[in-house]
Amino acid sequence: MDFSSLAVLSGLPEQDPYNAVGVPIYATAAYGFADLEDGAQKFATNQGYTYTRIQNPTVAALEARLTALEGALGAVCLASGQAASFAALLALVRSGDEIVASPGLFGGTVGLLNQVLGLMGVRVHFVEPEAAAVESALSEKTSAVFVEVLGNPSLRLPDLEGLARLCEERQVALVVDNTFGAVGALARPLEHGAHVVVHSLTKWASGHGSILGGAVLSRETLLWQRYAQFTSPDAQGRIPWEQHGARCFLERVRQLGLSLGGMVLSPFNAYLLFQGLETLELRVERASQTALALAGWLQSQPQVAWVRYPGLAADPAHARAARYLRGVFGSILTFGIRGGLEGASRFLAHLRILQAPNVGDVRTLAVHPWTTTHARIPEPARRAAGVGPEMIRLSVGLESPQDIQQMLAEGLRAVEGVAHED
Ligand SMILES: *Cc1c(COP(=O)(O)O)cnc(C)c1O
């Protein structure tokens, strides 16, 4: 089935006492057992429902739908995108390991890698997401390579297939944050060789800026045989790789992230995300068309120093975007206001577009990454992440293109005075 059909048909319950057409919300903490043997069996095998921290039917429906849309082996949903990245990496690393990551990552991910995983004795090397640079940073201790499908807000695209080949050869997991790939509506990194993808479902999957959620997905692979945590006995004396095959990674994510870590997605949020996925492709297509038109228009404005949008033919990411994105180029664009920080400040002071640190909302949102999402990152690293004081990130929504353009024009007019100064 095509993506459009899977988006509305996958994950629906096979049996429902009322033949419900949509997915029911199972607001229950625990599930009953028939008798002693039934309870014992469920606890021994982790099969079937016992407690919602571990599994819930509404969340399972969302996991099935995500699996279908990404062409994955399976999925585990968690409370947020941060929780998803955390759980995916927890399943891969052990104290003393190293991670190679690209410098253009979402600010929260940089903090997670440096601070949280740092506490666990994991070292991170930040290098450009190109095969040669990553290869020189790999060591015996590297247990994951972490990149974003489209850098936020750098909008760089990594050499996905080159990285996948390298990681396969060196037997290291390639983890791709596919948040900007909009759950497969824009990009499907597993098809290009990534072993694992993580998502903030808060963004395009929710689509309405209303709730938080995250997911970890993986594909069929023999890679886990090279990880000691999957080939040595677990607490019950079982070998995860022998017990679960390629699913052993997702089982570990569920165990560490949910069962023990407790970073659980609420069934109510799972319901909203399940529904959000149904209109995902339409939203991404419409917002991408608007973003392309706005990017072209912004380029012709005298107060704008530069524009980055992968859909522009001259954009440095265009060739890879044409290869890795599915025909449209996404709803995020960035641009530089002449006059640096002061120009950006005047622009935002006169902009009627909502200013908020979110993306993938039905509403257009503007943000100044330098002073908000990336403010805590030391300046050299911030610049390496492609963020400058003049940069505005725009997440294009579903308003009419003319209205957005008019609101941008109002902001730009306020910059005219400073525009001559540089
Ligand atoms: C928002 C975001 C995250 C974090 O997701 P939350 O749901 O806010 O925890 C991670 N990666 C990227 C690329 C994001 O945009």
Side-chain angles (χ1 to χ4, degrees), residues 16 53 170 244 248 267 274 352 387 393:
D16 178 86
R53 178 155 30 75
R170 300 289 293 266
H244 303 292
C248 64
F274 189 85
R352 275 190 298 145
V387 179
R393 183 188 75 192

Side-chain angles (χ1 to χ4, degrees), residues 78-85 104-109 146 148-152 177-181 198-204 211-215 357-359 393:
L78 298 105
S80 67
Q82 283 300 107
S85 299
L105 297 174
F106 173 71
T109 310
F146 192 104
E148 279 172 9
V149 71
L150 253 176
N152 172 20
D177 181 336
N178 195 30
T179 299
F180 276 50
V198 296
H199 276 288
S200 168
L201 300 175
T202 313
K203 315 296 166 57
W204 284 270
I211 46 135
L212 276 77
N358 194 15
V359 290
R393 183 188 75 192

